[in-house]
Amino acid sequence: MRLIKSLFLIGTISILCLFSFVFVGADEGGYRIEDYKFEGTYHKNNTVTVKETIKVQFTESRHGIYRTMPLFMDVKRDVGNGKKEVLKYQNDVKDVNVENWDYDTDREDNYFDIKIGSRGTYVDGDQTYKLSYTYVMPDDRVKTGDLIFYSVLGADWNVDIEHFAFDMKFEEPLTDKEKDGFKIYSGTYGGQTNGLDVQTDLTNNEISGEASGIAPRQAITLYCPVHEGYFVGAKTVSKTIPMVLIIAAAALAALLLLYILFKKQKKAVQTVEFYPPEGMSSAEVGVIIDEMADDIDLISLIPWWGEKGYLTIEEVPDKKGREGKHAALLLHKVKELPADAPLYQRTLFDALFATNPRNLDDLPRSFSDSFSSAKQSLGGEFRGEKQLSTGKAKAAVLLFLACAAYFGALATSSMVSMKENLIMGAISAGAVFALGLFRLATHGQDKVRTKGKWITYCIILLVLAGASIGTMLAATLGDDTFFKFPVYAGVLAVLIINGIFIGRLVVPTDFKLQYYGKLLGLKQFIKTAEIEKLQMLIDEDPSYFFNVLPYAMVFGLSDHWAKQFKNLKVKPPTWYYGYNAMYWNAFYFNTMLLSGLRDPIQHLRTEAMVKAAASAASSGFSGGGGGGGGGGSW
């Protein structure tokens, strides 16, 4: 019996490790931080009381600043017997106060936000913000030792910090041995060195330090293994009897299902469209159509800029001297972007043309960081009045509550194998919750998903549902459960249905509906356009094919769009040259452009993500642990 459970457990863990979900954030400018002071006390109950003084100079009129802190933490811990595991923790922020300023707080997507300032009031010039709060971390669930792991400066600030100073007191003094093992990690997220050369003064009761000239996305983290029992009275998760939990899980699952069934839907009206929306870039269209900032959305800006006269593209031999299908693309900057260009465009454009001209086969590693920042800024364009949908956080909370109750029931259902059932309960409930999060993250893609993506999408749903069912079976196969198998199976079945259809709770905003129907119409035209209509549009505008191409790229239809022009005469664009004119046609152009732009950028991005993932899995690193986060202006 234990062998069967172990096989189920190993298989489902391996499968679940294949999936992760990324949500987009925002970058704003218009200000700089002149001085940032952190004062904290690390208490014996694993909480930190903090006072921050942030001196800001606004270069543009703004309402104020916001401070964002993550409420999650992953730490690689020694769990005994020579084993190390990455443990996840849910943190909390309480007792927030801001001196002499109006402020609001909010929790969403595992972040705690403090928004300082008033919507009806603007400020500029030098301003000082003093805020205090308590950051709460839970019991570490490890008996081999405790750990101080806290970011006094998070990696999510989007501007330079001219000077940063911190002072952290320890309510429980460090031993001399623990003091000797104290480490400072600073620099980019995931780093394991003191890259910012933070100067510190460490005693058994306190550590202070400072650094200057800190670039955006840099962090400073305290890391120190301490003896078991250093923390006493840390927050723990309360447990109730399985009967209460299974009743709660069933009730919550049923209520959520009713909510899903009777939720009113807003639908866009698809119209007939031949042209992209005026004044909206292809990258922005890419986000609106599926509510995700993807790599291809940013890549599509390169031909979009070409059409607008900001750059030219030249085919050149690759590093091995090959031409044709092996050719590399050389970008030449013709002129700067306008001053009012969005931040995501300026970030990517400046990164591309740090060297002019730029060979895409010779991009530096730093380009990946700039690309990520541009991608984050692109997603941040759609906040406030341009928000695309509402209800994600509410739907996730409802599903989480139902899954949490189910997890508790399954985790405590066995009278003899508590540890196994705890793990399998977490996997089973976690798989359902992941299924729901996946649906929430991808709900906007249903009408724009290609056949290949539909297959991948369905496989992911089946794997997550199968993982949940498999671990539930493993947890309830024996005779030591409090309830019969149909009870758990019934609750799980309703939860899986909720996870699959939870996207119905996401409501598109009026802003999205304003464009969504038109974009669906344009997408449909790209797929089904008749040759006579295309010829007429080319006669009216010889650049029509190239004007629409970037938008076809974000729809995943650039190949299809190029094939539509197979039998039409399309003149080469003035901004693309260096090819053998003898072989030029729309399909050749699209193939060269897409592979030449996408392949080198995505290759570099993949290398960077693999390196970051490997670094983040280490014991301690810059930007990890509790606290941290960042902020911006609004």
Side-chain angles (χ1 to χ4, degrees):
M1 186 64 66
R2 290 188 178 272
L3 176 60
I4 296 175
K5 289 187 177 184
S6 298
L7 290 174
F8 269 115
L9 182 59
I10 293 171
T12 51
I13 289 176
S14 300
I15 293 171
L16 285 174
C17 286
L18 296 175
F19 303 99
S20 62
F21 311 102
V22 178
F23 295 86
V24 296
D27 277 345
E28 298 85 5
Y31 76 108
R32 61 192 182 95
I33 297 177
E34 296 180 328
D35 188 69
Y36 191 148
K37 185 177 182 181
F38 174 100
E39 300 172 274
T41 300
Y42 221 125
H43 296 284
K44 292 170 62 175
N45 62 351
N46 207 16
T47 66
V48 182
T49 52
V50 178
K51 181 179 180 181
E52 296 181 358
T53 303
I54 307 173
K55 295 183 179 180
V56 175
Q57 183 184 67
F58 290 101
T59 55
E60 301 174 4
S61 294
R62 297 285 176 148
H63 299 290
I65 66 170
Y66 62 86
R67 178 77 170 85
T68 298
M69 286 170 278
L71 296 178
F72 58 89
M73 180 169 67
D74 296 352
V75 187
K76 192 171 186 179
R77 299 297 309 276
D78 182 355
V79 296
N81 297 324
K83 296 181 179 179
K84 291 188 177 182
E85 295 181 7
V86 176
L87 302 179
K88 297 181 181 294
Y89 302 96
Q90 187 72 34
N91 304 328
D92 194 15
V93 176
K94 64 179 185 179
D95 303 330
V96 176
N97 183 58
V98 181
E99 294 183 15
N100 303 321
W101 291 92
D102 292 334
Y103 68 95
D104 293 310
T105 62
D106 186 34
R107 300 168 188 266
E108 186 174 0
D109 294 337
N110 258 333
Y111 282 87
F112 186 90
D113 298 323
I114 305 173
K115 192 173 185 180
I116 307 173
S118 303
R119 183 166 293 278
T121 303
Y122 287 89
V123 295
D124 52 30
D126 295 330
Q127 303 293 337
T128 299
Y129 298 92
K130 295 183 178 181
L131 58 150
S132 59
Y133 56 88
T134 300
Y135 196 87
V136 182
M137 291 166 284
D139 180 79
D140 63 1
R141 309 190 304 273
V142 174
K143 302 302 181 184
T144 56
D146 289 339
L147 179 67
I148 292 174
F149 190 21
Y150 193 90
S151 289
V152 292
L153 176 67
D156 292 334
W157 285 101
N158 56 17
V159 294
D160 292 338
I161 299 175
E162 294 184 10
H163 179 261
F164 177 82
F166 69 91
D167 182 89
M168 179 74 84
K169 295 179 173 60
F170 304 111
E171 184 177 348
E172 176 73 13
L174 303 174
T175 65
D176 290 339
K177 182 179 179 181
E178 290 165 348
K179 177 185 169 185
D180 291 340
F182 208 106
K183 295 180 181 179
I184 296 289
Y185 297 118
S186 67
T188 56
Y189 183 87
Q192 289 184 279
T193 64
N194 186 8
L196 298 179
D197 192 26
V198 179
Q199 301 300 307
T200 61
D201 182 16
L202 174 64
T203 69
N204 298 83
N205 299 286
E206 182 178 4
I207 183 171
S208 59
E210 62 180 330
S212 300
I214 302 174
R217 313 298 176 191
Q218 306 286 297
I220 299 175
T221 300
L222 312 181
Y223 181 85
C224 181
V226 291
H227 61 275
E228 176 64 16
Y230 180 89
F231 294 117
V232 178
K235 182 181 71 172
T236 57
V237 179
S238 62
K239 296 180 180 179
T240 58
I241 60 173
M243 181 176 290
V244 173
L245 290 170
I246 199 69
I247 291 173
L252 288 168
L255 288 173
L256 181 57
L257 182 59
L258 290 174
Y259 188 28
I260 290 171
L261 290 174
F262 293 102
K263 178 69 175 179
K264 292 184 178 180
Q265 299 291 305
K266 286 184 178 181
K267 294 185 178 180
V269 178
Q270 182 172 320
T271 57
V272 178
E273 301 291 333
F274 308 126
Y275 299 94
E278 188 174 351
M280 184 172 289
S281 74
S282 56
E284 292 170 6
V285 165
V287 177
I288 292 175
I289 202 67
D290 60 10
E291 295 197 25
M292 293 189 74
D294 301 309
D295 287 2
I296 192 63
D297 297 338
L298 288 179
I299 293 171
S300 73
L301 286 173
I302 296 176
W304 189 77
W305 284 327
E307 268 298 294
K308 295 187 176 300
Y310 296 112
L311 58 80
T312 60
I313 304 176
E314 178 185 3
E315 278 189 27
V316 296
D318 67 2
K319 293 180 180 179
K320 296 181 180 180
R322 296 176 297 181
E323 300 181 348
K325 65 178 182 179
H326 300 292
L329 296 184
L330 189 66
L331 305 186
H332 300 265
K333 179 169 67 173
V334 175
K335 61 181 179 180
E336 296 288 348
L337 296 181
D340 60 351
L343 178 60
Y344 73 88
Q345 290 193 33
R346 298 200 307 271
T347 301
L348 180 60
F349 195 84
D350 291 346
L352 281 171
F353 292 111
T355 298
N356 186 29
R358 166 71 77 187
N359 191 320
L360 291 183
D361 275 3
D362 196 25
L363 290 169
R365 290 184 179 180
S366 60
F367 178 79
S368 181
D369 294 333
S370 299
F371 193 94
S372 296
S373 295
K375 189 174 175 180
Q376 196 173 34
S377 298
L378 173 59
E381 287 288 311
F382 297 93
R383 284 190 172 185
E385 294 179 355
K386 295 173 67 176
Q387 186 174 354
L388 298 174
S389 62
T390 60
K392 282 185 181 180
K394 185 176 181 180
V397 168
L398 291 173
L399 183 62
F400 173 78
L401 292 174
C403 288
Y406 165 71
F407 157 69
L410 203 59
T412 59
S413 65
S414 173
M415 294 175 281
V416 296
S417 58
M418 289 293 294
K419 183 178 179 180
E420 290 181 11
N421 275 64
L422 183 71
I423 296 173
M424 288 184 284
I427 295 174
S428 185
V432 177
F433 189 53
L435 186 151
L437 292 180
F438 179 67
R439 285 291 293 126
L440 289 174
T442 61
H443 79 282
Q445 301 178 13
D446 289 350
K447 292 187 177 181
V448 296
R449 196 175 284 118
T450 61
K451 183 178 179 181
K453 288 185 177 180
W454 264 113
I455 294 174
T456 302
Y457 169 83
C458 291
I459 289 174
I460 292 174
L461 292 184
L462 288 172
V463 167
L464 291 173
S468 185
I469 294 170
T471 45
M472 183 274 297
L473 284 171
T476 58
L477 279 176
D479 297 327
D480 58 338
T481 55
F482 288 101
F483 310 108
K484 299 297 182 182
F485 164 75
V487 175
Y488 302 103
V491 174
L492 179 59
V494 179
L495 284 174
I496 290 175
I497 293 172
N498 286 337
I500 292 174
F501 294 101
I502 199 167
R504 286 177 54 84
L505 300 185
V506 180
V507 179
T509 62
D510 292 338
F511 174 82
K512 179 176 180 177
L513 293 175
Q514 177 184 354
Y515 293 100
Y516 194 60
K518 296 179 180 179
L519 294 180
L520 290 177
L522 177 62
K523 176 177 177 290
Q524 184 65 20
F525 175 72
I526 290 173
K527 291 178 65 176
T528 62
E530 297 178 354
I531 192 169
E532 293 81 6
K533 181 63 177 179
L534 292 175
Q535 184 63 62
M536 183 184 73
L537 291 168
I538 292 176
D539 291 341
E540 294 176 355
D541 178 9
S543 296
Y544 178 74
F545 169 79
F546 308 104
N547 285 330
V548 176
L549 180 62
Y551 300 88
M553 289 171 67
V554 301
F555 291 146
L557 295 173
S558 59
D559 286 346
H560 193 91
W561 181 239
K563 288 178 181 178
Q564 299 279 54
F565 289 81
K566 183 178 180 181
N567 297 317
L568 295 173
K569 290 185 177 180
V570 179
K571 293 182 179 180
T574 57
W575 47 269
Y576 190 94
Y577 58 92
Y579 52 84
N580 188 329
M582 184 175 179
Y583 299 106
W584 196 93
N585 57 54
F587 188 75
Y588 167 84
F589 169 76
N590 173 70
T591 301
M592 284 300 304
L593 184 69
L594 194 60
S595 62
L597 295 177
R598 181 182 58 193
D599 293 352
I601 292 176
Q602 291 192 340
H603 177 71
L604 183 68
R605 297 271 293 150
T606 300
E607 283 187 342
M609 286 188 289
V610 169
K611 184 177 180 181
S615 177
S618 60
S619 300
F621 51 85
S622 174
S633 66
W634 70 286

